[in-house]
Amino acid sequence: MKMKKERWLWEGGSGKLLGKVYYKRNGKTFARKAPGSYNKIPTQKQAAARERFMAANQFAKTIIADPVLKALYEQNLGSHISAYSKAVSEYMRGEV
């Protein structure tokens, strides 16, 4: 019964409550365990991967900020992927 109450409380919303994170995707509300904090120093490979992902994020933000480029990225997309996701994916694969 607790889960039904949480669903009702968060229908159409997002945020963190009772150790869970609620979010919407394609009009549906989902819940997952809230991430824990970490304070370990990353390895060199982890640090490099994080830097690369931050660069991919910046690239994708640039793409979606430009209406023309965003429209190009939105061509031939399925319902489960966004222009942002496609741009990050291309950057990470080294296609840009």
Side-chain angles (χ1 to χ4, degrees), residues 8-74:
W8 179 79
L9 286 171
W10 287 95
E11 196 63 45
S14 62
K16 186 175 172 182
L17 177 68
L18 302 173
K20 292 184 181 176
V21 175
Y22 296 85
Y23 60 99
K24 285 192 77 149
R25 172 74 95 194
N26 295 327
K28 295 181 182 178
T29 303
F30 296 93
R32 65 174 174 79
K33 181 181 168 189
S37 64
Y38 56 91
N39 55 5
K40 294 181 181 179
I41 298 172
T43 65
Q44 281 185 321
K45 286 178 84 173
Q46 287 172 328
R50 290 176 187 174
E51 287 291 326
R52 191 165 163 230
F53 186 77
M54 286 193 300
N57 179 45
Q58 194 59 39
F59 172 75
K61 284 182 178 183
T62 302
I63 294 297
I64 62 172
D66 183 338
V68 174
L69 288 174
K70 184 178 179 183
L72 287 172
Y73 271 79
E74 287 177 337

